[in-house]
RNA sequence: GCCGGAGUGGCGGAAUCGGCAGACGCAGCGGACUUAAACUCCGUAGCCCGCAAGGGCGUCCGGGUUCGAAUCCCGGCUCCGGCACCA
């Protein structure tokens, strides 16, 4: 072997830019990662990563999301699975349209350019995507099936049309939430004040599945996501109760106002009513003297966002209508108010207010000087005790008090009796409500899937016949400098003959929410060119549900709930045979800009992966992204530390290429640690390698990539200490190197492939990719230890340690501990009051008074 | 505001069935190699006191439970994600 000083200059250096493109093209040539979906010789594994939106902001965040998933794909392949790991593009959406309006050009061009660039970057990552399965949602061959599915849902009664308000700018039409700026709520493009406008729009009936969506059995999903979805669906049981409007000098009364309540037992405490400002009876019930004030309030409430309206920390506002209602059990006349904290879209859009037992009603009553009447209380509380807050009762510890004023028998009973009593008189019914609303899919935009219906004066709403799908977007688009939907002005698109009667009719110009595209795309990956339907039933039966889905936690409720809904709806239309799309889910965190904000070009905080790849190579970037921190956490981007990961790969390179070299800078290079024999060293190497294998396998399974890499670094450091010594190149050394490369292969595919191929060449064996190797097995005998070190605490503070044989009994341990000089000195003649040997000898704590 | 998550050295983070706080890495410091620098390697390293041995303090803040708390409980603060037309 060469002498030290020379070895550093003579030995070939790790040069990723030479290695990586070579292996990438080799893998592509061999089609190493195209999946044979018909292969049944191995168990299938469908691994899905959320498909990217091809925004112009190509950044490190895309790598952060995809890299660990790719490592997992490789890990599973090494375990003998037939892995399907496809990729595609979520190609419709607002940013493309914004770019087109701003810079001219066509959303299609902008999108396809971004996709091209993204494909290149994703390839440079060395990821194992099955590119032949790719889908692009803006392709008519994809969105045709959106339309087809919509029509099936329409037939099944899952799609319907209803009025709904949008944010509206007189110049730019419908605005997305992010296009409404500031508390002034102005249009981002022209600055005009944003109005609300009611439009007929299309909905999907997600609420039909509300109860089924609450059932997560059989799903291995993170607990927080299940909780968020459960809260989002927001099931509450209660009753609907009718209150009658009392006659007065201006109107004859008698209208019924239906309220929803979860607390019918508190009906005797309902001292006023509140309607949503949008409630249909508001206009009719308003007293002429109150008209001006009410109209003003309704106007103001409509301008606010729901978040503002539901905020519990602002002062309650509202206006009395000047009309009264009658409490159906007490017969009392109670005033009717409108207030923005009641929403028209939840329950019946009206509530009975029970200020004693609901905090919002309490605050409202305080502000407007309304009666607060207690109905239930904790045991021992007087019925007239003053209240600082609403008492939200617990069923277990309350007792009923109060009102014998009108019907003593009812007042003493609970909610069920009251509802039953009212129900017999046709004034109430038990009811379950959900916070979940039906899914509004209409978008007043060009760049989305056209909703395939036609409006005919004679036949009304007419679905486009299947054989006329897809309804294509016109190829040219004229935005005319406005945000308004250009389809509204495109005569060639608009004008169509009614498929039923043949008379001139008009096309629907709304397009679909892009969440529609993303609610079933993984089924299409299995047969992207299938022309007889959206999915190939034989393939979906075999390959879905998806075994593992990974993606951002920002999709916890919307995309992940819509996808579950879609699968259930498709199943009920007979298209697939399953009711849940994703068996196991992992939500990774989001990588932010260095400033802690979301990465975007406009903020100027984008990290481009290309420059990092050029400087360090893809393997280093991949490894660094996995090493940065726990994958579910994300956080602000900082390249500090990428050099450490690069050094680690350099060390691996050196270990394999130059096992016998010696570092000139290390005075101890080439010699074993003092007191260690060659035999000791070989045992230590083998033990380190197998312990690492044991732990790393667990870390991969649990998505703990950062600690997985830390453990590989430790193993490399251990081996490095023996480099150039008599044990370098021994069979134990060789085995450890082999394990190190195999364990590292999923995370750093290029360098390991290169080093693997060199080892094969050196051994005169034929080439085989490291990525087709079998994951190694732990030798349990290599990891057993003969002794263990036990920390000793006195009164909970660490004071000493003692080494005992691994099989020492509790008595042996106690004796060893008490035999320590340091412990005797600390005890100073006292006997411990207690000796706690914790965790089967993991730690000893001596308790001394 | 509501729902969910997170706060640990100068920095990223490790340790969560209640049992050695700070693995691994970055930056720092000391050294080797080099004519020199870069690269590479070895060592050191929570903070405070101390020459040292050692001692005290320490996981966002305030309480509590326990032999023992980063971890469990109660109260609070800050930051991140979502809140239905960004994707």
């Amino acid at each position: 072997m060469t002498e030290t000083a020379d070895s550093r200059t003579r030995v070939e250096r790790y040069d990723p830019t030479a290695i990586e493109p070579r292996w990438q093209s080799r893998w592509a040539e061999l089609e190493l990662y195209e999946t044979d979906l018909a292969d049944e010789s191995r168990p299938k594994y469908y691994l899905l990563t959320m498909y990217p939106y091809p925004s112009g902001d190509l950044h490190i965040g895309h790598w952060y999301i995809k890299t660990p998933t790719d490592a997992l794909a490789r890990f599973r392949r090494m375990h003998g699975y037939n892995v399907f790991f496809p990729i595609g593009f979520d190609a419709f959406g607002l940013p493309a349209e914004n770019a087109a309006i701003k810079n001219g050009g066509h959303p299609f061009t902008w999108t396809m350019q971004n996709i091209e660039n993204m494909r290149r970057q994703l390839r440079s990552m060395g990821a194992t995507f099955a590119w032949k399965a790719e889908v692009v949602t803006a392709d008519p061959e994809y969105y045709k099936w959106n339309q087809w599915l919509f029509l099936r849902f329409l037939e099944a009664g899952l799609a319907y049309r209803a009025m709904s308000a949008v944010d509206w700018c007189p110049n730019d039409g419908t605005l997305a939430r992010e296009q409404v700026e500031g508390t002034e709520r102005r249009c981002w493009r022209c600055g005009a004040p944003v109005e609300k406008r009611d439009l007929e729009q299309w909905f999907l009936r997600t609420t039909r599945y509300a109860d089924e969506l609450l059932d997560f059995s059989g799903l291995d999903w993170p607990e927080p996501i299940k909780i968020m979805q459960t809260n989002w669906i927001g099931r509450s049981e209660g009753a609907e109760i009718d209150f009658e409007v009392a006659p007065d000098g201006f109107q004859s009364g008698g209208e019924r106002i239906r309220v929803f309540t979860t607390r019918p037992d508190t009906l005797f405490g309902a001292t006023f009513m509140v309607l949503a400002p949008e409630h249909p009876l508001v206009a009719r019930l308003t007293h002429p003297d109150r008209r001006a004030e009410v109209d003003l309030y309704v106007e103001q409430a409509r301008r606010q966002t729901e978040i503002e309206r539901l905020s519990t920390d602002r002062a309650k506002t509202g206006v009395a209508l000047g009309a009264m209602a009658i409490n159906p059990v007490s017969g009392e006349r109670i005033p009717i108010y409108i207030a923005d904290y009641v929403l028209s879209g939840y329950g019946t859009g009206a509530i009975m207010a029970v200020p004693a037992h609901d905090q919002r009603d309490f605050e409202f009553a305080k502000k407007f000087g309304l009666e607060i009447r207690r109905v239930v209380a904790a045991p021992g509380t007087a019925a007239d005790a003053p209240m600082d807050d609403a008492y939200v009762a617990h069923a277990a510890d309350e007792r009923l008090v109060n009102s014998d004023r009108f019907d003593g028998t009812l007042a003493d009973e609970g909610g069920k009796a009251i509802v039953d009593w009212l129900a017999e008189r046709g004034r109430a019914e038990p009811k379950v409500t959900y916070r979940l609303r039906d899914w509004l899919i209409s978008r007043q935009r060009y760049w989305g899937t056209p909703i395939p219906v036609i409006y005919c004066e004679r036949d009304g709403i007419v679905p486009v016949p299947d054989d006329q799908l897809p309804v294509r977007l016109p190829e040219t688009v004229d935005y005319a400098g406005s945000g308004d939907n250009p389809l509204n002005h495109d005569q060639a698109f608009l004008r169509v003959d009614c498929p039923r009667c043949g008379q001139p009719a008009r096309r629907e110009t709304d397009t679909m929410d892009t969440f529609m595209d993303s609610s079933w795309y993984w089924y299409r990956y299995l047969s992207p060119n299938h022309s007889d339907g959206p999915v190939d039933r034989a393939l979906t039966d075999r390959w879905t549900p998806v075994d593992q889905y990974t993606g951002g936690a920002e999709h916890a409720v919307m995309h992940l709930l819509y996808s579950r809904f879609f699968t259930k709806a498709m199943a009920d239309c007979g298209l697939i045979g399953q009711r849940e799309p994703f068996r196991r889910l992992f939500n990774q965190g989001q990588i932010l800009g260095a400033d802690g904000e979301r990465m975007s070009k406009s903020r100027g905080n984008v990290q481009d992966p290309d420059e990092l790849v050029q400087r360090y190579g893809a393997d280093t970037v991949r490894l660094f992204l996995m090493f940065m921190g726990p994958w579910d956490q994300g956080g602000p981007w900082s390249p500090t530390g990428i050099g450490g990961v690069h050094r680690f790969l350099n060390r691996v390179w050196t270990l394999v290429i130059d096992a016998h070299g010696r570092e000139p800078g290390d005075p101890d290079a080439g010699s074993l640690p003092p007191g260690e024999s060659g035999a000791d060293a070989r045992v230590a190497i083998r033990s380190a390698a197998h312990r690492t294998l044991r732990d790393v396998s667990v870390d991969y399974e649990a998505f703990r990539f950062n600690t997985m890499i830390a453990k590989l670094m430790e193993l490399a450091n251990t081996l490095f200490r023996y480099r150039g010594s008599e044990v370098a190149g021994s069979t134990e050394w060789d085995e450890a190197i082999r394990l190190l490369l195999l364990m590292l292969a999923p995370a750093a595919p290029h360098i390991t492939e290169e080093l693997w191929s060199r080892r094969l060449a050196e051994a005169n064996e034929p080439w085989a990719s490291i990525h087709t190797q079998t994951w190694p097995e732990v030798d349990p005998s290599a990891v057993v230890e003969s002794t263990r070190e036990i920390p000793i605490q006195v009164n909970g503070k660490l004071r000493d340690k003692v080494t005992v044989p691994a099989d020492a009994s509790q008595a042996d341990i106690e004796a060893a501990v008490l035999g320590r000089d340091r412990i005797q000195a600390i005890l100073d003649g006292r006997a411990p009051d207690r000796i706690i040997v914790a965790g089967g000898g993991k730690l000893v704590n001596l308790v001394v008074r």
Side-chain angles (χ1 to χ4, degrees):
Chain A
M1 268 293 121
T2 51
E3 257 319 303
T4 53
D6 290 336
S7 77
R8 207 157 58 195
T9 48
R10 194 176 297 172
V11 167
E12 184 187 350
R13 300 195 43 147
Y14 169 46
D15 178 8
T17 53
I19 295 169
E20 290 176 351
R22 197 173 71 231
W23 285 115
Q24 281 166 17
S25 44
R26 186 86 184 268
W27 296 331
E29 268 165 41
L30 295 172
E31 299 196 344
L32 205 54
Y33 306 118
E34 294 298 342
T35 308
D36 178 3
L37 297 174
D39 175 8
E40 301 201 0
S41 66
R42 294 173 292 163
K44 68 97 182 178
Y45 191 83
Y46 192 160
L47 176 61
L48 183 67
T49 174
M50 287 180 188
Y51 67 172
Y53 178 77
S55 68
D57 307 331
L58 296 166
H59 57 71
I60 199 73
H62 295 112
W63 279 53
Y64 183 74
I65 290 164
K66 308 281 180 270
T67 300
T69 318
D70 177 56
L72 195 69
R74 296 171 180 277
F75 180 77
R76 291 282 169 222
R77 264 186 215 104
M78 292 174 84
H79 282 77
Y81 288 93
N82 186 22
V83 173
F84 183 48
F85 181 42
I87 187 83
F89 295 94
D90 186 15
F92 276 136
L94 199 53
E97 214 151 4
N98 290 337
I101 297 168
K102 198 172 154 202
N103 309 320
H106 197 288
F108 175 83
T109 318
W110 184 88
T111 305
M112 291 316 287
Q113 276 170 1
N114 289 339
I115 288 177
E116 234 356 278
N117 193 24
M118 215 151 177
R119 283 183 184 132
R120 180 190 57 75
Q121 285 199 330
L122 291 171
R123 285 179 199 275
S124 78
M125 237 173 81
T128 65
F129 295 119
W131 286 102
K132 287 186 175 170
E134 184 198 71
V135 300
V136 174
T137 58
D139 182 345
E141 288 311 304
Y142 185 83
Y143 71 68
K144 171 183 179 178
W145 300 109
N146 278 343
Q147 296 172 341
W148 190 91
L149 286 163
F150 173 87
L151 294 173
R152 300 294 83 75
F153 293 167
L154 188 61
E155 287 160 6
L158 284 165
Y160 66 94
R161 213 162 135 75
M163 291 297 274
S164 182
V166 295
D167 287 320
W168 180 267
C169 167
N171 305 313
D172 293 304
T174 305
L175 300 181
R177 168 141 302 178
E178 64 166 16
Q179 298 175 319
V180 179
E181 291 187 332
T183 44
E184 294 291 299
R185 295 181 56 70
R186 290 180 175 278
C187 173
W188 71 331
R189 200 167 275 139
C190 70
V194 173
E195 305 161 9
K196 291 278 180 186
R197 174 169 291 198
D198 287 311
L199 300 175
E200 285 271 350
Q201 304 192 70
W202 286 98
F203 288 83
L204 294 186
R205 212 176 290 279
T206 44
T207 51
R208 183 181 285 180
Y209 295 93
D211 278 317
E212 194 186 339
L213 288 165
L214 287 168
D215 179 8
F216 294 92
S217 47
L219 298 188
D220 182 4
W221 281 32
E223 213 53 44
I225 304 293
K226 293 195 277 186
I227 292 169
M228 278 190 269
Q229 291 205 351
T230 301
N231 293 338
W232 183 261
I233 295 164
R235 181 191 156 98
S236 34
E237 289 182 28
E240 285 186 357
I241 299 174
D242 288 333
F243 283 59
E244 204 162 278
V245 177
D248 59 34
F250 287 90
Q251 40 107 33
S252 53
E255 291 97 339
R256 288 186 172 190
I257 304 176
R258 175 155 280 222
V259 303
F260 172 75
T261 178
T262 57
R263 295 294 306 277
D265 59 310
T266 63
L267 183 48
F268 280 97
T271 52
F272 60 101
M273 292 189 81
V274 185
L275 310 188
E278 302 87 345
H279 195 283
L281 282 175
V282 169
R284 182 131 47 105
L285 298 181
T286 303
H287 190 282
D289 296 349
R290 314 282 313 153
R291 177 78 55 199
E293 203 184 335
V294 167
D295 286 351
L296 182 66
Y297 188 81
V298 170
E299 174 63 25
Q300 284 169 349
R302 277 177 63 86
R303 288 182 58 84
Q304 294 187 40
T305 67
E306 226 169 86
I307 292 174
E308 287 163 352
R309 287 178 59 165
L310 288 173
S311 174
T312 52
D313 76 345
R314 5 159 262 167
K316 289 284 172 292
T317 60
V319 177
L321 294 184
M324 306 291 272
I326 297 166
N327 182 319
V329 289
S330 69
E332 246 179 326
R333 286 165 62 93
I334 58 175
I336 305 172
Y337 284 78
I338 56 171
D340 58 12
Y341 77 94
V342 176
L343 300 180
S344 60
Y346 180 78
T348 61
I351 62 160
M352 64 178 212
V354 185
H357 305 300
D358 181 281
Q359 187 61 28
R360 292 160 306 176
D361 298 348
F362 182 86
E363 285 165 19
F364 192 90
K366 280 284 185 194
K367 172 142 180 196
F368 290 88
L370 297 159
E371 188 189 349
I372 297 171
R373 188 189 306 155
R374 193 192 277 276
V375 182
V376 294
T381 309
D384 55 357
M387 300 181 83
D388 294 331
D389 272 312
Y391 175 69
V392 182
H394 312 283
D397 70 1
E398 71 191 282
R399 71 186 168 83
L400 292 164
V401 295
N402 197 9
S403 190
D404 54 1
R405 257 185 255 190
F406 303 100
D407 186 328
T409 52
L410 265 186
D412 288 336
E413 300 196 52
K416 187 177 180 308
I418 290 176
V419 174
D420 287 349
W421 186 87
L422 285 169
E424 280 166 26
R425 287 155 183 80
R427 306 292 295 268
E429 57 178 323
K431 182 86 182 178
V432 175
T433 359
Y434 302 90
R435 209 185 68 96
L436 179 71
R437 300 200 290 258
D438 281 337
W439 175 11
L440 172 69
I441 59 159
S442 284
R443 297 293 181 268
Q444 290 77 47
R445 301 189 195 292
Y446 167 81
W447 193 232
T449 304
I451 294 175
V453 296
I454 290 165
Y455 300 105
C456 171
E457 278 194 19
R458 213 173 68 190
D459 295 305
I461 298 171
V462 182
V464 174
D466 285 0
D467 61 11
Q468 291 176 26
L469 298 181
V471 175
R472 286 172 183 268
L473 287 170
E475 287 185 12
T476 56
V477 57
D478 181 8
Y479 284 99
S482 159
D484 192 31
N485 183 0
L487 293 178
N488 291 332
H489 315 292
D490 187 322
Q491 295 306 318
F493 179 80
L494 280 171
R495 288 189 186 158
V496 63
D497 292 339
C498 171
R500 291 219 180 109
C501 68
Q503 295 299 304
R506 185 178 59 84
R507 264 194 208 287
E508 171 66 89
T509 56
D510 281 359
T511 53
M512 295 180 196
D513 182 0
T514 56
F515 276 125
M516 191 93 178
D517 313 341
S518 58
S519 290
W520 68 283
Y521 69 102
W522 63 94
Y523 293 118
R524 191 65 186 171
Y525 280 148
L526 290 164
S527 54
N529 303 312
H530 189 62
S531 56
D532 295 339
V535 302
D536 179 328
R537 181 66 190 265
L539 286 172
T540 57
D541 279 353
R542 172 159 155 65
W543 278 88
T544 58
V546 166
D547 293 279
Q548 174 72 60
Y549 196 25
T550 61
E554 69 272 21
H555 292 296
V557 279
M558 305 192 65
H559 163 59
L560 289 170
L561 200 62
Y562 292 142
S563 296
R564 294 181 64 214
F565 158 76
F566 234 77
T567 287
K568 294 174 197 302
M570 286 171 74
D572 285 341
C573 293
L575 302 170
I576 49 175
Q578 61 197 263
R579 304 197 71 82
E580 286 290 348
F582 316 122
R583 187 146 42 215
R584 191 170 180 227
L585 174 70
F586 188 90
N587 283 118
Q588 92 278 337
Q590 234 179 338
I591 203 142
L592 306 170
D595 52 4
E597 304 279 332
R598 264 179 75 158
M599 270 191 197
S600 76
K601 237 181 211 163
S602 54
R603 288 200 184 87
N605 61 356
V606 173
Q607 170 68 54
D608 181 354
D610 285 350
E611 33 180 283
L612 292 172
V613 172
Q614 246 164 20
R615 185 150 167 219
Y616 297 102
D619 280 340
T620 294
V621 178
R622 289 171 59 107
L623 221 52
F624 177 60
L625 290 169
M626 288 191 256
F627 182 64
M628 271 172 51
W631 197 36
D632 57 359
Q633 221 162 275
W637 166 255
S638 161
T640 316
I642 193 168
V645 170
H646 192 62
R647 261 194 287 279
F648 162 62
L649 289 181
N650 262 309
R651 287 158 81 85
V652 172
W653 180 267
T654 307
L655 283 170
V656 179
I657 294 288
D658 188 24
H660 299 282
R662 291 181 189 177
E663 287 306 317
D666 179 3
D668 299 325
S671 55
L672 294 175
E676 192 169 301
S677 69
D680 292 341
R682 286 198 297 273
V683 169
I685 287 170
R686 185 142 205 278
S687 166
H690 279 269
R691 256 182 289 124
T692 304
L693 175 59
R694 179 192 60 194
D695 296 346
V696 160
S697 302
V698 174
D699 280 348
Y700 266 114
E701 296 278 356
F703 295 89
R704 287 194 296 255
F705 303 104
N706 56 331
T707 54
M708 178 274 284
I709 292 164
K711 283 159 194 164
L712 292 179
M713 287 174 166
E714 281 186 85
L715 177 59
N717 290 346
T718 301
L719 291 173
F720 220 83
R721 272 195 284 282
Y722 293 109
R723 178 170 165 253
S725 78
E726 61 176 274
V727 296
S730 64
T731 50
E732 289 82 1
W733 168 277
D734 200 59
E735 183 192 13
I737 294 287
R738 186 175 160 271
L739 293 184
L740 177 62
L741 290 179
L742 288 169
M743 287 188 278
L744 185 58
H750 310 88
I751 186 176
T752 48
E753 184 79 298
E754 176 70 19
L755 293 172
W756 188 259
S757 78
R758 290 181 186 221
R759 278 168 54 90
L760 290 175
E762 211 165 289
N764 281 320
E765 287 178 40
W767 179 79
S769 171
I770 191 171
H771 304 297
T772 59
Q773 300 303 305
T774 302
W775 192 256
E777 284 197 26
V778 180
D779 176 357
S781 72
V783 301
V784 286
E785 311 225 35
S786 57
T787 60
R788 57 180 167 156
E789 190 181 50
I790 299 176
I792 307 169
Q793 297 181 336
V794 178
N795 291 336
K797 280 185 196 290
L798 180 71
R799 296 298 183 193
D800 198 9
K801 292 183 184 186
V802 63
T803 301
V804 300
D807 57 356
S809 70
Q810 181 152 335
D812 295 339
I813 292 171
E814 286 184 24
V817 166
L818 293 173
R820 300 285 297 175
D821 291 346
R822 258 185 69 68
I823 294 303
Q824 283 305 323
I826 291 166
L827 289 178
D828 192 22
R830 296 168 299 180
D833 297 290
R834 284 176 71 184
I835 301 176
I836 294 159
V837 180
K842 225 171 160 182
L843 170 144
V844 174
N845 189 13
L846 305 178
V847 185
V848 194
R849 285 276 142 71

